[in-house]
Amino acid sequence: MKKLIAFALVAIVGINAQAQNKNAKHDIQVNGNCGQCKERIEKAAYGVKGVKVATWDVDTHNLHIVLNETKNNVDAVEDAIVAVGHDTQNKKADDKVYEKLHSCCLYDRDTDAVDTEQDHSTHQH
């Protein structure tokens, strides 16, 4: 009976270990324009405990990370990135932080809100 319980315990621990990947690869879309943005985004990502690799591509806006998921999660990485002024695919940086970026780093922000000042006289609703 003790052997059965010990086996069950080992099996449970093994399953939990597999649920959290120590080398999980993730890609996050992060807005930015230039080399300064690259440095800022990568530094913010590396500042998150568990991030082993952080590489942002200026052309594709893709941030590739390798993350130890036993120490942290992708949400924490996105939080760190928006905290330094860069929007991600899931989160938006605070306007005040964004506005403090260097002028060459002020990327075009996606606006989900409807422009209420738009002229609708040329089309029907």
Side-chain angles (χ1 to χ4, degrees):
M1 182 66 146
K2 288 182 183 180
K3 287 182 183 179
L4 183 60
I5 292 172
F7 177 75
L9 251 159
V10 170
I12 290 171
V13 170
I15 291 169
N16 285 338
Q18 288 178 358
Q20 295 178 330
N21 190 345
K22 290 186 179 182
N23 291 308
K25 296 176 183 178
H26 298 278
D27 291 304
I28 304 167
Q29 289 298 306
V30 181
N31 291 336
N33 290 332
C34 63
Q36 281 185 32
C37 296
K38 178 177 175 62
E39 289 177 25
R40 187 181 310 104
I41 291 164
E42 290 176 359
K43 182 178 179 181
Y46 276 121
V48 176
K49 185 177 180 178
V51 173
K52 297 177 178 181
V53 174
T55 307
W56 184 73
D57 185 276
V58 175
D59 296 325
T60 64
H61 295 179
N62 183 62
L63 174 66
H64 178 74
I65 62 171
V66 176
L67 175 66
N68 181 340
E69 291 180 330
T70 64
K71 295 184 178 182
N72 234 316
N73 58 40
V74 176
D75 197 49
V77 177
E78 288 194 66
D79 287 343
I81 292 166
V82 298
V84 297
H86 292 274
D87 297 345
T88 70
Q89 63 203 29
N90 300 314
K91 298 184 180 202
K92 187 174 179 183
D94 183 86
D95 290 338
K96 290 180 183 178
V97 177
Y98 167 78
E99 290 164 4
K100 289 181 182 179
L101 294 176
H102 189 273
S103 61
C104 70
C105 298
L106 296 175
Y107 51 88
D108 291 331
R109 296 185 97 178
D110 292 332
T111 54
D112 295 329
V114 175
D115 184 3
T116 56
E117 300 297 318
Q118 196 174 41
D119 180 12
H120 294 279
S121 63
T122 59
H123 63 272
Q124 294 179 339
H125 286 272

